[in-house]
Amino acid sequence: MTIAAAQLDHYRRELSALGAQLPGSGLTWVEKTRQGAFERFAQMGFPSARDENWKYTRVTPIEKRAFRSMPKSCIGLIPEDLERFFFAALPCHRLVFVNGQYTPQLSEPGALPGRATVCSLTKALADNPDRLEPYLARYADADANGFTALNTAFMGDGAVLYLPRDTVLEHPVHLLFVATTQEELFVNPRNLIVAEQGSEATVIESYVSLGGNGYFTNALTEVVVGDNAEVTHYKLQQEHLSAFHIATLQVQQRRNSRFTSHSISFGGSLVRNDINAVLDAEGAQCTLNGLYLGAGRQHVDYHTRIDHTKPLGTSREHYRGILSGRARGVFSGLTQVHAGAQKTDASQSNDNLLLSRDAEVDTKPQLEIYADDVKCSHGATVGQLDDDMIFYLRARGIEAQAARGLLTYGFAQDVIDRMHLAAVRTAVEEVLLGQLPDTDAIKGLVS
Amino acid sequence: MGDSRMLSIKNLHVSVAGKHILQGIDLQIMPGEVHAIMGPNGSGKSTLAHVLAGREGYDITEGEITYEGQNLLLLAPEERAREGIFLAFQYPVEIPGVNNTYFLKAAVNALRKHRGEPELDAMDFMQLMKTRIKLVGMNEALLKRAVNQGFSGGEKKRNEILQMALLEPRLAILDETDSGLDIDALKAVAEGVNRLRSPERAIIVVTHYQRLLNYIVPDHVHVLAQGRVVKSGDRSLAEHLEEEGYGWIEKEAANA
Ligand SMILES: Nc1ncnc2c1ncn2[C@@H]1O[C@H](COP(=O)(O)OP(=O)(O)OP(=O)(O)O)[C@@H](O)[C@H]1O
Ligand SMILES: [Mg+2]
């Protein structure tokens, strides 16, 4: 038992106080799901260092606090306040969530083609609960750890995107999660993306703060990619530097489906992302790309897991980390090829750049193969900026600082270049130039 | 009367990782001159070139280097570049993620800024680039790639010469820029160098082959062996070396 009785009581009181305000209240199956998950949370508590998957990531700072959900309240924000988090050059179906609440006056969901829908979880459960029942909380394992259990117990507003057969979304869906309040705020965004056979969509999740600090985002997104369907998922995590961000992306892939994730982690003091993809039918293709930045005392942890359970699946994983100051990075990537998943083609790489002596990273790429006719590779590197490269640039008149900036930026560029949406690339590049060490000197040059 | 020498190296001793590599180099270069440096593998030619460009990690245990009247050893590599020194590397390094065009623009503008000239915007820069790239016969597609990444040996060398053509240095040091080049590339390199030749500029050509010196005719030829200039002469020395190798010089040096 790794949760103090007082803490458990606190969260139990929170849950019952929220009661009817939570999405799907009054629906028996939803309430059962919440109750069951809370009991699992009570049993498991928060992950501890004894848990192999949490060996390098201590969550004591989260455990010690008594986070609270925000009651529904009027938030005096206007769209202009958030403009810098929108993608000016890219029309999107936009849903904005402020301190855990869907905020219609800041959102512009627009019209979706055919019978496709995108709306808040609250609305989806009110309008058409039967459609959600086969999917919601069916793929993400509430038992995975205390955080997924807690999210499922408290599932709050996130978005539900439903794409009927053969529906193709021209514009991406942008889900913007904003925190504005101080300390102790606790939000549990819950998103569900269901892409039926032959459908296609791109979803962008952004996590940002407007003055909020010390809050805790505990997010969970489930994605079901149907036969021949294609989902591209972007996540830009730009939480306040004092915030806690824990998130799971759970993906279920059907026959010949294609799923791509680009996950970028900039903010947060303690960050953990679990990305799990199950390639549960023949011919599924999965691509996981990611970039994590850590400075100061930031701690950022990515745990990815790809399960090839059926033949002819392809997975490509490419993660990079840049750590400076006293930051700590953790990368654990498990690709498991199950018995019978013949002709699986899987590759994985994780490269890390350490910009200071006190920065650290633990990287653990893992391949577990139980089939014999497969093509798999993996590799991990941890290095510093290359002296020969720095000298080459300086020998051309480029200042030492700009040389380091160019090389650091170039290291990140490798991940950015894989993103198809130019507007997102530009937004990410801007943040990179504001946040990477030594990039002041190259701003005019690369943007 | 001021010193008219462009570069003056006196009794230069350099060690790397405790190994004594340059053992008392003396070399004087006047503006307008082309000096060829030849010598067996491992004799210290690249070490000398790197020391001139300001690479860290070399211990200068003795001697001095004066460039245009100032103590070169006090300048950082980027300051030397801005003062007009250019090294075409024997082995240009690949720089993943750094776009070749951005890099060239950064280099050109760093120099212009230093000279008090306005920086070139993207359009003016591309204009300049177009003229220079033709000159060195480089494939334009290489501008869009990362610096030297996946370039063939010859493409890397042409990229070095393109940089030289853009930066127009006063002292250019070419470290085996001719090695591994086909005859067209060799001519393009020679043309790039000869275009630069002027009474204000000097060029040091490090090479193993007389071939390049047919195109870039040197005023002086020096032979480096075991970290020393063991023989200097005019262009006929290079021809002689091509026929006889280095054995006779090493013998001569041993007898002296
Ligand atoms: N960083 C280093 N550490 C140890 N030894 C070094 C280092 N750099 C150069 N050397 C040694 O110094 C000597 C001179 O090397 P240098 O590269 O200057 O020769 P070179 O004349 O350019 O040869 P080549 O014709 O093959 O290019 C060699 O014996 C080389 O191994
Ligand atoms: Mg050499």
Side-chain angles (χ1 to χ4, degrees):
Chain A
M1 177 97 174
T2 50
I3 184 158
Q7 284 298 82
L8 190 59
D9 283 347
H10 165 76
Y11 286 110
R12 201 184 294 280
R13 276 196 310 275
E14 271 293 296
L15 188 57
S16 63
L18 285 165
Q21 288 184 40
L22 291 170
S25 76
L27 290 167
T28 318
W29 65 270
V30 173
E31 278 172 8
K32 262 199 179 142
T33 303
R34 290 187 188 281
Q35 277 313 319
F38 193 83
E39 291 322 312
R40 289 298 293 135
F41 170 67
Q43 286 157 15
M44 289 186 288
F46 291 105
S48 74
R50 268 169 291 145
D51 185 335
E52 181 64 25
N53 279 326
W54 293 80
K55 207 162 84 185
Y56 299 111
T57 297
R58 297 298 164 80
V59 300
T60 343
I62 294 177
E63 210 174 323
K64 278 194 311 215
R65 281 172 221 226
F67 293 101
R68 287 167 188 284
S69 298
M70 273 268 287
K72 259 197 170 41
S73 65
C74 178
I75 297 138
L77 288 180
I78 52 170
E80 284 68 38
D81 296 328
L82 297 172
E83 226 154 50
R84 62 192 161 104
F85 304 120
F86 303 160
F87 305 101
L90 181 70
C92 291
H93 305 285
R94 189 173 63 235
L95 281 76
V96 178
F97 303 85
V98 181
N99 299 331
Q101 312 286 349
Y102 176 59
T103 312
Q105 64 270 27
L106 299 172
S107 302
E108 267 183 56
L112 266 55
R115 290 183 304 109
T117 55
V118 63
C119 62
S120 69
L121 178 64
T122 302
K123 184 166 160 46
L125 282 170
D127 289 356
N128 202 345
D130 295 347
R131 187 151 80 190
L132 264 65
E133 195 174 351
Y135 302 109
L136 186 66
R138 297 288 178 251
Y139 297 102
D141 184 3
D143 284 358
N145 61 62
F147 293 111
T148 52
L150 202 60
N151 177 287
T152 302
F154 280 84
M155 317 190 247
D157 253 348
V160 174
L161 170 64
Y162 181 80
L163 299 170
R165 222 180 137 139
D166 297 327
T167 312
V168 177
L169 284 200
E170 188 192 340
H171 303 301
V173 172
H174 185 198
L175 310 178
L176 179 60
F177 297 90
V178 188
T180 67
T181 52
Q182 317 292 310
E183 304 288 331
E184 326 290 60
L185 170 71
F186 174 40
V187 292
N188 288 276
R190 180 74 174 221
N191 303 301
L192 174 65
I193 300 164
V194 178
E196 300 279 22
Q197 183 174 338
S199 63
E200 286 174 28
T202 296
V203 177
I204 307 163
E205 284 182 38
S206 311
Y207 293 85
V208 304
S209 99
L210 270 184
N213 67 57
Y215 59 92
F216 173 27
T217 301
N218 182 36
L220 204 160
T221 299
E222 286 172 294
V223 185
V224 182
V225 195
D227 292 358
N228 286 310
E230 174 161 5
V231 172
T232 304
H233 184 267
Y234 289 81
K235 174 173 167 181
L236 310 183
Q237 187 274 103
Q238 291 173 255
E239 305 270 27
H240 190 272
L241 281 174
S242 65
F244 305 102
H245 182 94
I246 311 275
T248 293
L249 175 63
Q250 182 72 40
V251 184
Q252 189 75 15
Q253 288 193 247
R254 306 250 159 93
R255 185 181 296 267
N256 296 328
S257 64
R258 299 174 300 284
F259 175 78
T260 301
S261 151
H262 302 279
S263 186
I264 314 287
S265 182
F266 288 130
S269 66
L270 172 55
V271 177
R272 161 77 174 227
N273 278 290
D274 281 86
I275 299 180
N276 307 313
V278 183
L279 281 62
D280 208 15
E282 286 191 11
Q285 296 171 26
C286 177
T287 302
L288 304 182
N289 294 328
L291 174 68
Y292 43 94
L293 257 59
R297 290 184 161 274
Q298 278 180 290
H299 181 107
V300 50
D301 176 346
Y302 269 92
H303 267 63
T304 70
R305 178 181 175 126
I306 300 174
D307 281 278
H308 286 271
T309 68
K310 295 283 155 50
L312 294 163
T314 305
S315 63
R316 294 283 176 270
E317 181 166 4
H318 190 85
Y319 266 78
R320 291 200 156 188
I322 302 175
L323 302 152
S324 59
R326 306 180 64 84
R328 175 91 183 254
V330 180
F331 177 85
S332 163
L334 170 62
T335 301
Q336 186 160 342
V337 181
H338 295 239
Q342 301 295 10
K343 307 250 185 256
T344 288
D345 177 354
S347 75
Q348 184 195 79
S349 69
N350 172 237
D351 300 297
N352 296 280
L353 181 57
L354 300 182
L355 295 175
S356 70
R357 261 198 309 173
D358 294 324
E360 259 184 87
V361 67
D362 292 288
T363 173
K364 194 165 128 196
Q366 304 167 76
L367 271 174
E368 285 180 15
I369 303 174
Y370 303 100
D372 49 19
D373 182 14
V374 300
K375 202 169 107 195
C376 295
S377 67
H378 67 164
T381 63
V382 178
Q384 281 106 40
L385 290 177
D386 185 296
D387 285 339
D388 288 341
M389 295 185 199
I390 293 176
F391 177 60
Y392 188 84
L393 296 172
R394 294 179 73 189
R396 297 299 178 251
I398 298 169
E399 274 179 77
Q401 196 198 1
R404 286 195 301 270
L406 269 177
L407 293 174
T408 308
Y409 188 76
F411 184 83
Q413 194 73 48
D414 182 84
V415 177
I416 310 308
D417 282 346
R418 292 164 199 263
M419 309 196 303
H420 289 297
L421 289 178
V424 180
R425 278 201 307 271
T426 306
V428 169
E429 284 165 358
E430 234 166 75
V431 181
L432 278 176
L433 288 174
Q435 217 170 311
L436 281 178
D438 299 320
T439 46
D440 275 352
I442 64 164
K443 271 183 190 155
L445 192 63
V446 294
S447 51
Chain B
M1 206 189 93
D3 191 341
S4 59
R5 279 174 298 194
M6 172 174 260
L7 183 75
S8 162
I9 303 175
K10 283 189 191 149
N11 190 31
L12 182 69
H13 288 257
V14 174
S15 299
V16 183
K19 193 174 160 202
H20 195 184
I21 295 171
L22 299 185
Q23 309 189 8
I25 302 265
D26 286 286
L27 198 62
Q28 314 297 324
I29 294 179
M30 306 292 277
E33 290 181 343
V34 173
H35 289 240
I37 297 182
M38 306 181 80
N41 295 132
S43 56
K45 303 181 297 294
S46 293
T47 303
L48 176 62
H50 283 147
V51 167
L52 289 174
R55 185 187 195 112
E56 281 157 22
Y58 294 96
D59 285 329
I60 315 237
T61 52
E62 237 183 290
E64 56 190 62
I65 306 178
T66 311
Y67 169 71
E68 294 184 339
Q70 50 182 334
N71 180 353
L72 187 69
L73 298 175
L74 296 179
L75 301 184
E78 59 270 32
E79 292 170 321
R80 299 181 195 201
R82 291 170 194 175
E83 291 294 335
I85 293 182
F86 179 90
L87 167 62
F89 286 80
Q90 183 175 4
Y91 304 110
V93 61
E94 302 194 6
I95 309 186
V98 177
N99 176 280
N100 205 18
T101 303
Y102 290 166
F103 158 65
L104 295 169
K105 189 170 161 222
V108 167
N109 278 337
L111 244 77
R112 293 182 67 93
K113 205 168 145 188
H114 178 72
R115 296 192 197 123
E117 294 164 11
E119 295 185 29
L120 294 182
D121 63 19
M123 277 240 283
D124 290 342
F125 176 71
M126 282 319 288
Q127 209 109 50
L128 175 69
M129 179 79 103
K130 285 246 157 70
T131 63
R132 295 296 192 268
I133 198 164
K134 268 206 202 87
L135 217 76
V136 303
M138 198 171 96
N139 182 348
E140 277 197 40
L142 297 177
L143 294 176
K144 298 205 178 86
R145 303 241 300 259
V147 180
N148 295 327
Q149 198 177 28
F151 287 23
S152 75
E155 287 168 345
K156 283 181 186 166
K157 297 296 175 81
R158 282 194 207 242
N159 200 26
E160 295 293 289
I161 296 306
L162 172 64
Q163 292 166 42
M164 187 184 76
L166 284 167
L167 300 175
E168 302 183 319
R170 289 199 296 283
L171 175 62
I173 306 152
L174 309 182
D175 191 358
E176 294 198 31
T177 304
D178 54 334
S179 298
L181 291 188
D182 63 39
I183 191 74
D184 289 341
L186 187 76
K187 280 185 187 159
V189 165
E191 219 165 285
V193 174
N194 286 330
R195 219 195 109 260
L196 214 64
R197 279 184 92 155
S198 78
E200 306 82 53
R201 298 199 168 103
I203 297 160
I204 299 174
V205 184
V206 175
T207 183
H208 286 293
Y209 308 104
Q210 162 62 26
R211 194 174 69 145
L212 178 68
L213 303 180
N214 288 332
Y215 298 102
I216 307 171
V217 180
D219 302 298
H220 301 274
V221 175
H222 311 277
V223 178
L224 209 67
Q226 290 167 357
R228 271 193 208 99
V229 177
V230 292
K231 189 151 187 88
S232 296
D234 62 15
R235 56 181 297 196
S236 64
L237 176 57
E239 285 155 22
H240 202 66
L241 286 168
E242 183 98 338
E243 285 155 25
E244 308 280 330
Y246 294 112
W248 65 277
I249 295 183
E250 279 163 357
K251 228 175 270 161
E252 209 179 272
N255 293 341

